[in-house]
C-alpha cells in the first residue's frame, strides 16, 4: 500500500507568502504535487502542516505538523506517524515547492521501492540527493523518530544512517521554487 504526503508547513520566508498556494501554470504548487501523488496510485494523500483555512482550496485533508517550525524532518516524522493507521504502507513524501515532479518521476521511485526490499528509503536525486522527494518504508519510522527526538533536524543526516536507494530524476523535475525569482515567467 502507498500513501502520499505533501509537506506544506514551511514558513516560506524567502517567498514572502505561503508557497503551497502559489500558482504555477494556473495551479497551486501543492495541488500539482497532490495530483502527481494521486496519479502514481497513492490510496490517501494528505497535506502536512500549514494553515488549514489557507490550504482548503487544495481539496485535501490537512494534518497539523506535530513539530511546527522544526523543518522538513518534523513534517516527515508527522507523515510517517500519520500513516501508522495503514500498517505496512510506504509513504511517498514530496515537498510542496517541487511543483514540476510528475507521475512518471514518482513512478520511478515507487518502482525502485518495489524491487529494493533491502532499503529504508528511496530518494530522488540529480547530482545530489533531494530529500524533499522520497519514498519512506515502514522500516525507517523508528530511526526518523529517534533522530528527531535526539535533536536532529537535517533530513540528509538521517538519510546517512538509513539504507538508501537513489533514483536519478531529471533536474527539471526537481526544480525547487523558493523565491519569487524562481517562479516561471517572473520578470
Amino acid at each position: 500500500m502507498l500513501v502520499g504526503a505533501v509537506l506544506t508547513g514551511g514558513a516560506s520566508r524567502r517567498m514572502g507568502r505561503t508557497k503551497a498556494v502559489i500558482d504555477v501554470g494556473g495551479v497551486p504548487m501543492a495541488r500539482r504535487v497532490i495530483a502527481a501523488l494521486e496519479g502514481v496510485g497513492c490510496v490517501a494523500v494528505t497535506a502536512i502542516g500549514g494553515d488549514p483555512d489557507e490550504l482548503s482550496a487544495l481539496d485535501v485533508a490537512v494534518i497539523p505538523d506535530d513539530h511546527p517550525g522544526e523543518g522538513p524532518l518534523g513534517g516527515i516524522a508527522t507523515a510517517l506517524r500519520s500513516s501508522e493507521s495503514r500498517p505496512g504502507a510506504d509513504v511517498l513524501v514530496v515537498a510542496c515547492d517541487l511543483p514540476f515532479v510528475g507521475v512518471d518521476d514518482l513512478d520511478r521511485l515507487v518502482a525502485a521501492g518495489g524491487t529494493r526490499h533491502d532499503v529504508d528509503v528511496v530518494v530522488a536525486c540529480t547530482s545530489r540527493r533531494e530529500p524533499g522527494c522520497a519514498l519512506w518504508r515502514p522500516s525507517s519510522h523508528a530511526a526518523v523518530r529517534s533522530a528527531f527526538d535526539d535533536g536532529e533536524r537535517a533530513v540528509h543526516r538521517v538519510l546517512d544512517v538509513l539504507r538508501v536507494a537513489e533514483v536519478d530524476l531529471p533536474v527539471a523535475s526537481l526544480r525547487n521554487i523558493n523565491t519569487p525569482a524562481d517562479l516561471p515567467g517572473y520578470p
Side-chain angles (χ1 to χ4, degrees):
M1 181 181 319
L2 182 64
V3 298
V6 57
L7 301 179
T8 54
S12 301
R13 283 181 203 81
R14 291 179 283 169
M15 183 61 75
R17 56 190 172 125
T18 303
K19 287 192 270 186
V21 297
I22 292 174
D23 280 359
V24 172
V27 178
M29 279 201 282
R31 173 61 19 223
R32 293 171 66 100
V33 173
I34 291 163
L37 289 166
E38 291 170 342
V40 79
C42 291
V43 295
V45 178
T46 58
I48 304 295
D51 179 344
D53 291 334
E54 191 173 18
L55 299 175
S56 64
L58 300 177
D59 194 32
V60 68
V62 178
I63 296 175
D65 192 333
D66 294 340
H67 314 283
E70 296 289 332
L73 186 59
I76 292 167
T78 301
L80 299 180
R81 181 209 37 87
S82 71
S83 74
E84 290 172 354
S85 63
R86 298 175 189 274
D90 289 339
V91 184
L92 190 52
V93 179
V94 182
C96 72
D97 59 3
L98 296 173
F100 304 109
V101 169
V103 173
D104 291 343
D105 301 313
L106 296 181
D107 192 47
R108 292 177 63 196
L109 292 177
V110 172
T115 61
R116 295 291 311 270
H117 301 287
D118 60 328
V119 300
D120 303 308
V121 183
V122 179
V123 65
C125 64
T126 56
S127 59
R128 63 178 182 79
R129 289 177 175 169
E130 174 48 73
C133 184
L135 176 75
W136 298 82
R137 303 307 263 299
S139 60
S140 69
H141 296 205
V144 170
R145 177 87 257 154
S146 177
F148 190 88
D149 289 347
D150 289 344
E152 184 59 68
R153 296 299 180 263
V155 180
H156 70 273
R157 285 198 285 269
V158 173
L159 291 174
D160 288 343
V161 300
L162 293 169
R163 298 169 299 163
V164 176
E166 297 177 350
V167 173
D168 289 325
L169 294 182
V171 171
S173 295
L174 296 177
R175 183 173 155 220
N176 228 322
I177 304 293
N178 288 312
T179 69
D182 295 334
L183 291 167
Y186 185 82

